[in-house]
Amino acid sequence: MVKAWVVANLAIGQTVTLIPHIISLTHIQNTGAAFSILEGQQWVFYIITIIALVVVAVLWRDSRGHLLYRIGLTLIFAGAIGNFIDRIRQQYVTDMFQVDFMNFAIFNVADACLTIGVIAVVIHLIFFDQQAKA
């Protein structure tokens, strides 16, 4: 929904302040990863995403009874699919969220899902995974 609004209403590179000095919307087309790493190397992202989706699906299937782990894996899957669809359709992802109080990559909802999902999985593995502790 935010992405559709940004694409329809902001020119590439245009910025609209949401909360002054905190967050803005900036419309960019990113052919790379965070900070434009591997810019233009779409085939790398296709391969990595397909492998990641298979691994996450297998881990999710075996995650019954571990709510935080399952939520984390679901967010990772959702974020990977979101960016994958953009890359297949457009050869780039649309990024829009710009943190104004620090120098940070402009990102999208899929990136946020991936980040939060990884954090949830790491928290589960560190604090709640009994098999890892045994």
Side-chain angles (χ1 to χ4, degrees), residues 48-100:
I48 291 170
T49 301
I50 291 167
I51 292 168
L53 290 172
V54 169
V55 169
V56 168
V58 169
L59 293 172
W60 192 89
R61 185 191 64 204
D62 297 333
S63 67
R64 286 190 176 90
H66 302 281
L67 182 62
L68 181 63
Y69 188 54
R70 193 165 256 208
I71 289 170
L73 292 171
T74 301
L75 288 169
I76 292 168
F77 195 89
I81 284 286
N83 280 340
F84 189 62
I85 290 169
D86 271 3
R87 289 184 193 285
I88 293 284
R89 284 184 47 233
Q90 307 169 144
Q91 302 300 306
Y92 61 84
V93 296
T94 300
D95 288 336
M96 74 280 303
F97 296 107
Q98 180 173 339
V99 179
D100 296 331

